[in-house]
Amino acid sequence: MAQAVIGVIGGSGLYEIEGLSDVKQVEIDTPFGKPSDALITGVLDGVKMVFLPRHGRGHRLLPSEVPYRANIHAMKQLGVERIISVSAVGSMREEIVPGHIVIPDQFFDRTQGKRASTFFGEGVVGHVQFADPVCGDLSAILAQAATEVGATVHQGGTYICIEGPNFSTRAESNIYRSWGVDIIGMTNLPEARLAREAEICYATVALATDYDCWFEGHDDVSVEAVLATIKQNVATARNIIKAAAGLAAATRPCACESALQYAIMTDCTQLPDATRDRLALLLDKYL
Ligand SMILES: CSC[C@H]1O[C@H](OP(=O)(O)O)[C@H](O)[C@@H]1O
Ligand SMILES: Nc1ncnc2[nH]cnc12
């Protein structure tokens, strides 16, 4: 089997990856607009990699302004089959200490419907399965890689995705905790949905940066605190990517690559031409 191309979406504090050879900066346009920034392609220990900073270089885009569809489409155009997302998150559990790594296996949506989170619509209806929203195989590889590089890892956990950009109120934070969530962030859910529709594996390395605002006796989350934790742990995040890339590229034993096989409801002989063109990259194999 040919090696899979690995995409990395860098979050807060991760605007480049190191150690790539044969580096190229690629400007891409998509039917869904421009991605957050130019994508970087290169080779890491023999593995083809594509990197994109989610908020753009210089951190210019709000969580609700990130062009999620364009980002995932651009990765697909470059042949990416597996995406490693790197994100800063708040911890909603005492035992997830700032500096720990969480590999979430569930998401809970508290965004406000402002983000385009599907490639479907305009004449084509599809419903992908999303009960298990991340790739289990890629998640296991990330957990193994994080352990290998010496991080404290929590494998599994629920990531609640809020709209932001403000952090939560204390009442919200306490209520989220009562719902059983483990970590809180603002970005990952639209990406996971779109990656599934694009038949790309998706899994997250979440770095706990703070205790949000629920934990009496600890400072409430602030950008300053988040950045300080990221600074101390960015090398760990880079080491995890490096350790995971080879393992992730070697096999793809999951079902992510056929997520659309039974998902499309529309009689495809009736697709509007513009929709067929817009979704050609995703749907052609089924038409
Ligand atoms: C700087 S704290 C809030 C910010 O950090 C997280 O971003 P990302 O997931 O891209 O690392 C969080 O979701 C917020 O966007
Ligand atoms: N407490 C928090 N809430 C939302 N997003 C975050 N990203 C990092 N910490 C966060």
Side-chain angles (χ1 to χ4, degrees), residues 11-12 54-55 63 86-88 159 167 185-188 223 226:
S12 297
R54 177 181 290 125
H55 301 277
V86 183
S87 271
Y159 172 125
F167 294 115
M186 306 180 190
T187 59
N188 273 216
V223 166
V226 169

Side-chain angles (χ1 to χ4, degrees), residues 105-166:
D105 60 357
Q106 284 296 329
F107 292 109
F108 193 91
D109 196 356
R110 278 280 298 169
T111 65
Q112 316 268 316
K114 295 179 196 161
R115 309 171 188 196
S117 299
T118 179
F119 290 111
F120 292 111
E122 298 184 33
V124 59
V125 177
H127 306 281
V128 288
Q129 287 190 308
F130 207 51
D132 295 305
V134 296
C135 172
D137 179 70
L138 185 57
S139 296
I141 287 170
L142 294 179
Q144 183 186 331
T147 306
E148 272 172 25
V149 306
T152 303
V153 187
H154 302 262
Q155 192 167 1
T158 298
Y159 172 125
I160 187 165
C161 188
I162 61 169
E163 183 65 36
N166 57 288

Side-chain angles (χ1 to χ4, degrees), residues 123-126 263-272:
V124 59
V125 177
I264 301 163
M265 292 288 290
T266 309
D267 171 359
C268 286
T269 61
Q270 299 192 13
L271 292 194

Side-chain angles (χ1 to χ4, degrees), residues 88-91 162 167-168 184-186 207 209-213 221 226:
V89 295
S91 166
I162 61 169
F167 294 115
S168 307
I184 184 165
M186 306 180 190
L207 169 67
T209 52
D210 58 86
Y211 276 122
D212 200 46
C213 61
V221 57
V226 169

